[in-house]
Amino acid sequence: MYKKTHKACAKVVLFGEYGALLGYKALVASIDRFAQCHFSTAPKLSFIGIANNNIIENSPIFNAVIKASSDLKINIAHGKYVIDTSDFFTSDNKKLGIGSSSAALVALCKSIIYHGKNHHSALIFALKANYYLSNGLGSGIDIIAAFAKGINKINTKNILNYKQISHKKAINFWSNIYIIYTNKEQTTNSFTKLFWQQKNISKIKNILKNNNILYNKIFKNKYYKNDNLLIDIINRIDNNMYDMQNLCSFKFITDEHIKISDLAKKCFGAAKISGAGGGDISLAYIPKNNHNNFIKEINNHNYTIIKAYINK
């Protein structure tokens, strides 16, 4: 019996949430939590998902991959495909919001066609499957992050033209980053759909354009070395997102995000939502000499720090 395992990593959106949907660039970190697809030969084709020992047999991911394989004329070898995303859940089975669906989809696509030299073909396959999974509404940045390493600047107008930030710059920035789980799950697709229904899209676009200008300075102008400049940028982006929420008919900044932001400021740092918001995670930047105080504050308020490093 032939057996093979392929992996795809989790992601954290550093900057560019919602703006990526409008064609702005996004900065996304690929982190060392993984979805794994275990393939073994068998007379019939079957797909099984596993999340914290829970079996999933009819995931929309499977249907999306089948549709994409039909479009691209990709032959799916008969066998058993078991996709394990347990790395993306808490011990009490809460989804962490670090890209479990896209990582599962990428791991499955890799397992079907990836043989070392056709990385590009596997990526095209995954992006096509993601189109079906997101009903054509997603930006695709999660898919790129699941394939990539380190921190990447992703050009959503040309999704395949992504550029990796140098490892030295990425590590310098990442050393003061905390990923905090709000203890509240949120499904990204529902917020993406709501975003496209907003009436004030021109005003929203101006806000997101301003955010794009701000975070593009970080690695271009060596702001990643300067705590004060970084904290100022994150606070300004956080304030812009509040302004955007006031223009929207849905609430993506929750009380939990607000509290985590307050705790970060208390420790002379800054925090913002990461991804669609509405729950899941916040991203905090905390100066090194305040790390211990911030960890105590987060623990005292029963939030969870997600331990992860940049995937190398």
Side-chain angles (χ1 to χ4, degrees):
M1 177 187 290
Y2 174 78
K3 294 183 178 181
K4 186 69 176 179
T5 296
H6 285 91
K7 300 195 300 183
C9 62
K11 68 86 180 74
V12 175
V13 179
L14 302 177
F15 303 100
E17 43 276 294
Y18 290 109
L21 298 171
L22 297 173
Y24 296 123
K25 293 177 181 178
L27 283 165
V28 186
S30 304
I31 59 175
D32 62 348
R33 289 188 178 230
F34 299 94
Q36 300 186 63
C37 182
H38 308 288
F39 170 77
S40 57
T41 52
K44 294 182 179 180
L45 177 64
S46 66
F47 299 105
I48 298 172
I50 300 174
N52 270 18
N53 297 317
N54 294 321
I55 304 299
I56 304 167
E57 293 186 341
N58 296 305
S59 169
I61 292 170
F62 306 151
N63 292 330
V65 168
I66 289 171
K67 286 180 181 178
S69 68
S70 177
D71 286 354
L72 298 173
K73 296 180 171 54
I74 293 170
N75 180 49
I76 301 179
H78 281 187
K80 186 176 182 180
Y81 296 83
V82 180
I83 304 97
D84 189 344
T85 57
S86 297
D87 230 6
F88 294 73
F89 291 80
T90 63
S91 57
D92 55 350
N93 206 32
K94 291 182 179 178
K95 182 173 70 69
L96 288 171
I98 51 177
S100 58
S101 295
S102 27
L105 186 151
V106 167
L108 178 55
C109 288
K110 281 184 174 182
S111 187
I112 290 170
I113 69 168
Y114 189 63
H115 301 293
K117 294 183 179 180
N118 55 357
H119 173 95
H120 183 77
S121 297
L123 179 52
I124 296 296
F125 183 21
L127 286 169
K128 173 64 77 170
N130 185 63
Y131 174 84
Y132 286 116
L133 184 63
S134 68
N135 296 313
L137 298 176
S139 66
I141 61 174
D142 288 10
I143 299 299
I144 299 297
F147 265 96
K149 296 179 180 180
I151 294 175
N152 282 271
K153 182 178 286 189
I154 303 174
N155 182 351
T156 52
K157 290 183 178 178
N158 182 3
I159 197 71
L160 298 176
N161 185 27
Y162 61 95
K163 297 185 184 299
Q164 187 174 2
I165 303 297
S166 77
H167 185 65
K168 182 179 179 180
K169 291 180 180 179
I171 291 300
N172 196 306
F173 174 78
W174 192 259
S175 64
N176 293 319
I177 288 290
Y178 285 89
I179 311 165
I180 303 103
Y181 179 52
T182 64
N183 295 321
K184 185 175 182 180
E185 295 182 50
Q186 173 61 45
T187 302
T188 300
N189 281 354
S190 61
F191 274 26
T192 303
K193 186 177 180 179
L194 286 168
F195 176 81
W196 288 117
Q197 296 172 355
Q198 300 310 300
K199 295 178 180 178
N200 294 311
I201 199 69
S202 60
K203 292 181 180 179
I204 291 169
K205 185 174 182 178
N206 287 335
I207 290 172
L208 295 173
K209 182 179 180 180
N210 184 254
N211 281 353
N212 182 66
I213 292 168
L214 286 169
Y215 60 72
N216 271 329
K217 295 178 180 180
I218 291 173
F219 293 107
K220 187 182 293 184
N221 295 348
K222 298 185 179 180
Y223 283 21
Y224 65 92
K225 291 183 176 181
N226 189 310
D227 286 345
N228 291 332
L229 290 173
L230 273 172
I231 289 164
D232 178 62
I233 284 176
I234 294 169
N235 277 326
R236 289 167 69 184
I237 289 173
D238 190 39
N239 289 334
N240 284 346
M241 296 307 278
Y242 280 105
D243 290 342
M244 176 177 150
Q245 178 163 270
N246 290 335
L247 295 171
C248 290
S249 62
F250 64 102
K251 183 179 180 180
F252 52 86
I253 300 174
T254 65
D255 293 342
E256 290 82 6
H257 291 126
I258 293 169
K259 186 62 183 179
I260 291 167
S261 182
D262 288 343
L263 294 176
K265 289 174 182 176
K266 185 177 179 180
C267 296
F268 304 96
K272 59 179 280 296
I273 66 166
S274 172
D280 283 340
I281 65 173
S282 279
L283 190 75
Y285 184 92
I286 307 296
K288 190 172 183 179
N289 59 352
N290 286 289
H291 283 194
N292 289 338
N293 289 337
F294 183 68
I295 292 169
K296 288 177 183 176
E297 291 286 354
I298 289 298
N299 290 337
N300 287 341
H301 287 83
N302 296 316
Y303 297 120
T304 302
I305 293 174
I306 301 174
K307 293 181 180 179
Y309 297 93
I310 295 175
N311 178 34
K312 297 188 288 184

